[in-house]
Amino acid sequence: MVGKVWTDVSGSGADIVVLHGWGLNGLIWTPVSDALSQLGRLTRMDLPGYGDSLWPDGVALEFSELCSQTLAALPERCHLIGWSLGGLVATQIALQAPERVQSLTTVASSPYFPAQEPDWPGIEPSVLSQFGKQLSKDFRRTVERFLALQSLGSPHAKADVKAIKEWLFSKPMAPVEVLDAGLDMLAQVDLRAQLSRLQMPFFRIYGRLDALVPAQVVTQVDALAPQSRSYLAPRCSHAPFISDPDGFISAWQGFYATLD
């Protein structure tokens, strides 16, 4: 069963699709939507279970299903851009259906989000566990705390968080069970060993000040996906397309210009 997925389409030309991260919705891409729609036909969507996209009844809340449900809502072939959890979904879709993905871009994302000793940087597993425990008690406040963590280190963190909250609360909040399943995905999904299989153009954008996907992960993924390119936004944390929209567009347009 495939659920109804909310999409917003603007512009014309080659299809570009943007996927948001945990707890949020497609409006998060507002700062760069106009610029991206000048480059192609832009589709913003709410991932299944988030915003105005309902999770279909009777379908297990699992990563494989999230990816399948998202894939079913994509254009036949597109340039796929995924942020944070959306980057994990985009990467799996590119692995699962490479013929559907003309190029892959991940933003402030990682093939494996938890920190792992001795040398894999990421989110401390205790942080994800703590958010999971707090969701059922006060899920709105828990999501807000996670948003604040995403902007940590940004020179305009307060403005970033304020904007993110406006986009988040202008649509229905994801149900607790969807948010809980999303945290499990961030804690468990590991795509590191599969990155070398990706054959389409692959671009990775990071924030130097990111507290969730530390800059040290860049060289690790460089080694796992030597066919890819990376860009480290100097004054950004976990949401570079919000902290520095012009820099984000400049970096992505530079990548896009190299494609056939």
Side-chain angles (χ1 to χ4, degrees):
M1 178 189 294
V2 177
K4 182 175 173 56
V5 172
W6 176 89
T7 60
D8 173 73
V9 180
S10 57
S12 61
D15 279 298
I16 302 168
V17 179
V18 287
L19 305 180
H20 62 81
W22 182 85
L24 287 151
N25 59 58
L27 296 182
I28 195 71
W29 294 98
T30 297
V32 293
S33 293
D34 286 348
L36 287 174
S37 66
Q38 296 297 313
L39 297 173
R41 184 167 63 177
L42 176 68
T43 298
R44 298 186 294 176
M45 71 167 61
D46 291 347
L47 288 173
Y50 294 84
D52 291 313
S53 295
L54 299 179
W55 187 264
D57 292 337
V59 175
L61 276 163
E62 297 174 351
F63 182 66
S64 59
E65 285 293 346
L66 176 60
C67 295
S68 295
Q69 296 286 326
T70 304
L71 175 60
L74 294 182
E76 196 58 36
R77 187 164 164 80
C78 66
H79 299 281
L80 191 55
I81 304 174
W83 170 55
S84 198
L85 174 62
L88 206 58
V89 172
T91 301
Q92 177 58 40
I93 287 173
L95 289 163
Q96 182 178 324
E99 72 284 356
R100 302 282 300 277
V101 180
Q102 194 164 350
S103 73
L104 170 66
T105 302
T106 59
V107 184
S109 192
S110 176
Y112 185 60
F113 276 84
Q116 187 178 59
E117 296 298 338
D119 59 0
W120 185 263
I123 309 171
E124 288 302 323
S126 60
V127 172
L128 290 173
S129 175
Q130 184 181 29
F131 278 115
K133 289 175 183 175
Q134 292 171 345
L135 266 179
S136 58
K137 295 178 183 177
D138 188 346
F139 80 105
R140 178 165 173 152
R141 186 178 176 193
T142 303
V143 172
E144 287 182 336
R145 286 185 60 231
F146 193 73
L147 298 185
L149 188 61
Q150 295 184 27
S151 298
L152 199 65
S154 168
H156 16 71
K158 284 186 178 180
D160 290 355
V161 171
K162 182 181 178 184
I164 292 171
K165 283 184 180 179
E166 287 177 3
W167 296 315
L168 171 61
F169 296 130
S170 66
K171 282 175 171 271
M173 286 283 288
V176 172
E177 56 268 25
V178 170
L179 294 171
D180 206 28
L183 287 176
D184 286 343
M185 295 170 198
L186 289 173
Q188 297 169 12
V189 174
D190 187 352
L191 300 180
R192 288 177 291 182
Q194 302 178 60
L195 291 186
S196 61
R197 287 174 38 207
L198 293 169
Q199 298 299 311
M200 73 284 295
F202 180 14
F203 188 40
R204 298 151 29 229
I205 299 176
Y206 301 90
R208 184 179 294 279
L209 307 175
D210 196 340
L212 298 176
V213 180
Q216 298 94 307
V217 84
V218 178
T219 54
Q220 301 275 13
V221 183
D222 284 343
L224 294 172
Q227 77 282 20
S228 67
R229 294 170 49 189
S230 63
Y231 168 70
L232 188 60
R235 296 176 303 280
C236 299
S237 53
H238 194 60
F241 55 94
I242 297 173
S243 300
D244 183 13
D246 291 341
F248 176 89
I249 289 296
S250 177
W252 194 78
Q253 193 168 10
F255 164 70
Y256 189 61
T258 67
L259 307 179
D260 294 331

